[in-house]
Amino acid sequence: MKPSLFVAHSTAIAARGLDQETMVMSATNSTLFTLNEVASVIWQSLDSTTPLGEIVARKICTKYDVALDVALEHAEALVRGLAQHGILLLSEEPISVSIGSSKVTQ
Amino acid sequence: MNTLAIEMAGKALQRNIPLSVQLDLTYRCNERCIHCYLDHHDHGEMTTAEIKDLLDQMADAGVFYLTLSGGEILMRKDFFDILEHARLRTFCIKLKTNGVLVRKQEADRIKTLGVESVQISIYSHRHEVHDAITKMPGSLRQSIEAVRLLREHGLHVIMANVLMRQNVNDYRGVRDLAAELGAQFIVDPTITPMMDGDRSILNLNVDEAALREVFRNEALVGSVEEFCAPPQGPGEEALDMLPCSAGHTACYVSPYGDIYPCVQFPLPSGNVRRTKFADIWRDSPQLKEVRSITLRDMPACSKCTHGGTCTRCPGLAYLEGNMLGPSVQDCEKSYARTGIPSENLKARKATAPTFPILQLVQIQSMARAAPHPAADLGGPGSEVRMPC
């Protein structure tokens, strides 16, 4: 069985919701990312203690017509991609983050 | 700005979101720069709690880019408390400081709190020139030390070089210094009036010849051919253009809670001590008026050949008395760039009073002198007229 994946926002990022999208900037290299509506839902749900699979099942599969395994595959690709840029922190255990992990404000 | 940032700015404009705010935390400063536009006395700065509440309001309103400036931001003892709160609200934070109070401890905190960039004003690579402008002996040494420390912490540092008569020849030296320290270099050749409208510091502005030289320096402007290209005149599309982001996707908040469209555009538009930030942004009649203005509404600029390419600052125009009018400083920049005078400069020249031809001094060869020279002062001869 695949281990659960826990995801937290990095402390060195800026983020803001803009309509249905989200702007995210890495403070380490000033790279700007924009997340679409679906990715924004995932982003706002990342709380470092809820497994990604649970977030996808609850927030994505109930809202969009998509199978869990397909949605999870895309969600994992998203968070792993952002983690490579230092935007997200990934762990197989719940993560403790001291500052900067607050949710995006719409 | 990259294309993604431009795209997001466009979306913010459509949705009336204040994407970018400069918040001056204090006007107090440890330097006394000769060109500064601020009154450094504290007239009742916002408290820590007021600023934190404002940051919450701004985050809720959609502000993403937050510039914390002053005065000198580190003059506030609660500065890191404020910065930490801004970080919690996930702003993209830029700091503007003179760096004099930045030591290892401050650099550590700034790095930890994920600041995007730190801008430090450096007026010259020569101590005697920089320190004479800041009126603070040793200030260049301390500012350079701050740049060095912040760079050692891996921070993005910008060295901002404001040009004036005192340092007009030093920008190459500052640029070399920035390269040596691994900092970005930017240059600004505009001295602006004081926020209370006092224009006396404008005499520090560099002259047209110096401006022309700066605008023809490839290292500063990129393609000189493109930058200094003759204007084509504003097309129909340009007439509907917005002047700049001030009041549209950006605004400025003073240490006293006053909101203006921009730090260079001191049109009072509300105060966050009396009204919520979002309500001012949405409902202020002054901001609505600023938003309603396009190039088409500007009687002089819409007919000017520079209309489509001019860097006209509506704030400078406002400080000259008419936010729909031209800004002479920007007309002069357009002229220095292209050698073609703006409609405003032509009109000013046409209406300027004729130089009085006064015979202040007359010299006449004594070989033709009349018996009483004084009687001949008004007559024809080999005279030389001297201007006042």
Side-chain angles (χ1 to χ4, degrees), chain B residues 15 192 262 279 296 313 333 382:
Chain B
R15 291 162 180 76
T192 56
C262 170
D279 293 339
R296 197 181 293 279
C313 169
K333 278 195 212 164
S382 55

Side-chain angles (χ1 to χ4, degrees), chain B residues 31-35 123-124 126-140 164 166-167 204:
Chain B
E31 293 184 336
R32 283 292 178 271
C33 298
I34 57 174
H35 62 290
Y123 301 106
S124 171
R126 295 183 292 157
H127 292 262
E128 66 276 19
V129 176
H130 177 96
D131 293 0
I133 289 172
T134 63
K135 295 190 195 169
M136 185 185 180
S139 56
L140 177 60
M164 59 197 98
Q166 284 75 357
N167 65 349
L204 299 172

Side-chain angles (χ1 to χ4, degrees), chain A residues 11-19 21-28 30 32-34 98-100 102-103 105-106, chain B residues 2 4-5 8 11-12 15 17 19 59-60 62-65 84 87-92 113-116 156:
Chain A
T11 55
I13 53 149
R16 193 69 72 230
L18 204 165
D19 206 6
E21 297 175 294
T22 303
M23 303 173 69
V24 183
M25 186 182 275
S26 158
T28 42
S30 303
L32 181 65
F33 302 83
T34 59
S98 59
I99 192 172
S102 57
K103 288 181 184 170
T105 310
Q106 278 289 355
Chain B
N2 66 32
L4 201 51
M8 296 314 280
K11 288 180 181 175
R15 291 162 180 76
I17 290 171
L19 199 60
D60 292 344
V63 175
F64 181 63
Y65 301 104
E84 189 166 317
R87 162 55 42 234
L88 281 168
R89 298 311 309 256
T90 62
F91 291 101
C92 177
L113 290 169
V115 167
E116 193 270 329
H156 174 200

